[in-house]
Amino acid sequence: MPKVFYTQPDGTERAVEGAVGDSVMQTAVRNGVSGVLGQCEGVLSCATCHVFLHERNAEDFPPISEDENEMLDCTAVDRQDTSRLSCQLPLAEGQHVHVTIPKAQL
């Protein structure tokens, strides 16, 4: 079973078990993780699930698509090199994913 470690802007961390095939965003929303809104429910039409993906997990996911790249220009907090939309990060069996949630999504 995959596990996602969500680090809040204040440094507190919460580990949540996810389901294979669900996204990092779906896992956060279903488990009430603060700071991941997912207002568009994962259809890549908002940027309210913006996270900073830990560098060690970068190779675990497909590269940023052109659409995701454009949406990342619309985030409330300036994007960084490790910025991703968590709706575009599907979980795989046995995966341990570490993300940091930005200070704001809106």
Side-chain angles (χ1 to χ4, degrees), residues 82-103:
T82 60
S83 287
R84 292 296 304 260
L85 297 181
S86 59
C87 68
Q88 300 300 298
L89 304 174
L91 298 173
E93 184 62 48
Q95 200 173 32
H96 286 176
V97 180
H98 296 261
V99 298
T100 299
I101 299 169
K103 291 183 180 186

Side-chain angles (χ1 to χ4, degrees), residues 3-103:
K3 188 176 276 191
V4 184
F5 298 84
Y6 298 92
T7 302
Q8 293 293 326
D10 68 3
T12 60
E13 184 179 76
R14 180 174 171 197
V16 177
E17 288 188 358
V20 172
D22 281 356
S23 70
V24 171
M25 180 275 297
Q26 290 169 315
T27 302
V29 170
R30 285 187 185 137
N31 290 282
V33 174
S34 180
V36 178
L37 305 179
Q39 288 184 322
C40 75
E41 299 180 0
V43 297
L44 200 57
S45 66
C46 76
T48 61
C49 67
H50 176 214
V51 295
F52 304 114
L53 181 64
H54 194 284
E55 291 176 0
R56 69 176 157 224
N57 292 121
E59 297 298 319
D60 296 339
F61 297 101
I64 295 174
S65 69
E66 185 176 324
D67 289 339
E68 181 181 0
N69 192 45
E70 287 179 17
M71 288 307 307
L72 284 167
D73 287 335
C74 302
T75 59
V77 172
D78 289 340
R79 71 187 287 178
Q80 297 177 4
D81 290 342
T82 60
S83 287
R84 292 296 304 260
L85 297 181
S86 59
C87 68
Q88 300 300 298
L89 304 174
L91 298 173
E93 184 62 48
Q95 200 173 32
H96 286 176
V97 180
H98 296 261
V99 298
T100 299
I101 299 169
K103 291 183 180 186

